[in-house]
Amino acid sequence: MRCAVRGAPAGAAPGLLFAAPALAAIAIFFFVPVAASIALSFTDFDIYAVASRANLRVIGLGNYARLAGDALFRTAIRNTLYFVVVAAPLSIAVSFGAALLLSAPLTRWKPAFRVALFLPVVTTLVAVAVVWRYAFHPRIGLLNALVAPFGIGPVDWLGEPRFAMPAIVLMTIWKTFGFNMVILVAGLQAVPERLYEAARVDGASALARFVHVTLPALRPTLVFVTVMTLIGDLQLFAEPYVMTQGGPAHATLSVVLLMYLEGFRWWNMGYAAAIAFVLFVAMLVPSLVARALGTRAEVA
């Protein structure tokens, strides 16, 4: 028995029917909540509106106007940008360095090293936070023991505003670099060996082979890793929530953490939805730039 979908090209009906459940799930659990969130951002939905819809008012762009004058929101943006600018390049550099070492011909026990370096990615953040809180401890912490020979410290890494965000950056890089490392290792393994052989025949040095063979071949992978890292870093939440609760003195308050506090602690759901939409636009920009760069790399 043949079934047809009105308006679909001939032969496309079976494919649409197979894809329909997945498309319905995406619509229900993604597009509907996104649309509801955008609509919510134009209201003053709060705990009083939960009790009675009569307390719900449509305020248009009121939440966005409030964001423009909110000093706490500006602090959250500044902290998030600081985290992205510092953590993203360092994380990619560490991932790339680890991937190159694991792909080197002289490296032994590669599977064991891959598992060991990837373990932090799959380790529960709460367990990681407990360990790192001891590492950052001002009296018995490992980090102070390492910097003490240089005449530094003791430093209260999580208690002083100027050191709290660098501490979060350090822990986040350790926790997440393994994910990018695995992707970059796969990218390095996909580079054809004949390109390196041709470069050696031409007398290219190791540095020249890296610059003129490895980097161009890895460009799409690096673009993907960069975009995913930027998007992930813009959504900074769990690390400051577990380690510092946004403190001290809002030094580690991120945009997502502020959105969580507004929405689920202070019950300003409309205001929190406006923060979420602004963050969505902020993440859309690097995604579009990456798509343009990826398209250019494919053309080249």
Side-chain angles (χ1 to χ4, degrees), residues 194-217:
R194 65 178 184 277
L195 297 179
Y196 292 110
E197 293 175 356
R200 289 191 193 95
V201 171
D202 291 339
S205 63
L207 179 61
R209 293 196 297 273
F210 175 75
V211 173
H212 299 292
V213 177
T214 304
L215 285 182

Side-chain angles (χ1 to χ4, degrees), residues 101-137:
L101 289 175
L102 287 178
S103 302
L106 296 179
T107 303
R108 297 291 181 265
W109 306 302
K110 292 180 181 179
F113 279 114
R114 286 177 195 159
V115 172
L117 295 176
F118 191 73
L119 271 180
V121 179
V122 295
T123 305
T124 306
L125 181 61
V126 175
V128 171
V130 171
V131 174
W132 276 89
R133 285 184 73 86
Y134 278 107
F136 288 136
H137 197 280

Side-chain angles (χ1 to χ4, degrees), residues 47-86:
I47 194 169
Y48 301 106
V50 174
S52 172
R53 291 185 180 180
N55 297 321
L56 179 64
R57 295 177 303 169
V58 177
I59 59 173
L61 298 176
N63 285 325
Y64 297 96
R66 180 184 165 192
L67 279 177
D70 189 344
L72 201 56
F73 180 63
R74 289 198 297 272
T75 300
I77 288 181
R78 186 168 57 249
N79 292 338
T80 303
L81 291 178
Y82 170 74
F83 179 82
V84 171
V85 170
V86 176

Side-chain angles (χ1 to χ4, degrees), residues 10-297:
L16 288 175
L17 289 176
F18 278 116
L23 293 175
I26 292 173
I28 293 172
F29 295 106
F30 180 75
F31 289 107
V32 172
V34 168
S37 176
I38 294 174
L40 202 63
S41 70
F42 297 111
T43 70
D44 65 345
F45 191 97
D46 54 13
I47 194 169
Y48 301 106
V50 174
S52 172
R53 291 185 180 180
N55 297 321
L56 179 64
R57 295 177 303 169
V58 177
I59 59 173
L61 298 176
N63 285 325
Y64 297 96
R66 180 184 165 192
L67 279 177
D70 189 344
L72 201 56
F73 180 63
R74 289 198 297 272
T75 300
I77 288 181
R78 186 168 57 249
N79 292 338
T80 303
L81 291 178
Y82 170 74
F83 179 82
V84 171
V85 170
V86 176
L90 289 176
S91 177
I92 294 172
V94 172
S95 303
F96 199 10
L100 290 173
L101 289 175
L102 287 178
S103 302
L106 296 179
T107 303
R108 297 291 181 265
W109 306 302
K110 292 180 181 179
F113 279 114
R114 286 177 195 159
V115 172
L117 295 176
F118 191 73
L119 271 180
V121 179
V122 295
T123 305
T124 306
L125 181 61
V126 175
V128 171
V130 171
V131 174
W132 276 89
R133 285 184 73 86
Y134 278 107
F136 288 136
H137 197 280
R139 289 189 292 105
I140 61 174
L142 174 64
L143 209 58
N144 276 332
L146 293 175
V147 300
F150 301 98
I152 303 174
V155 178
D156 188 358
W157 296 98
L158 298 177
E160 293 189 24
R162 58 177 172 158
F163 294 119
M165 186 57 86
I168 295 292
V169 169
L170 181 61
M171 189 196 78
T172 304
I173 292 174
W174 178 86
K175 174 86 173 62
T176 60
F177 86 94
F179 179 78
N180 288 339
M181 179 199 71
V182 170
I183 296 174
L184 290 168
V185 166
L188 287 170
Q189 291 175 344
V191 180
E193 184 60 27
R194 65 178 184 277
L195 297 179
Y196 292 110
E197 293 175 356
R200 289 191 193 95
V201 171
D202 291 339
S205 63
L207 179 61
R209 293 196 297 273
F210 175 75
V211 173
H212 299 292
V213 177
T214 304
L215 285 182
L218 273 184
R219 188 182 302 169
T221 307
L222 286 172
V223 170
F224 173 78
V225 166
T226 301
V227 173
M228 296 305 294
T229 303
L230 289 176
I231 292 175
D233 288 351
L234 282 170
Q235 298 180 75
L236 175 67
F237 169 72
E239 289 82 0
Y241 178 75
V242 172
M243 297 288 287
T244 61
Q245 290 284 307
H250 303 308
T252 58
L253 180 69
S254 66
V255 174
V256 178
L257 181 54
L258 176 62
M259 178 182 67
Y260 167 80
L261 294 175
E262 289 285 352
F264 298 102
R265 184 168 297 178
W266 303 324
W267 281 98
N268 296 320
M269 301 296 289
Y271 192 59
I275 297 175
F277 189 66
V278 171
L279 182 64
F280 166 75
V281 174
M283 289 191 295
L284 185 64
V285 172
S287 301
L288 294 177
V289 171
R291 182 178 179 183
L293 292 176
T295 304
R296 186 180 302 176

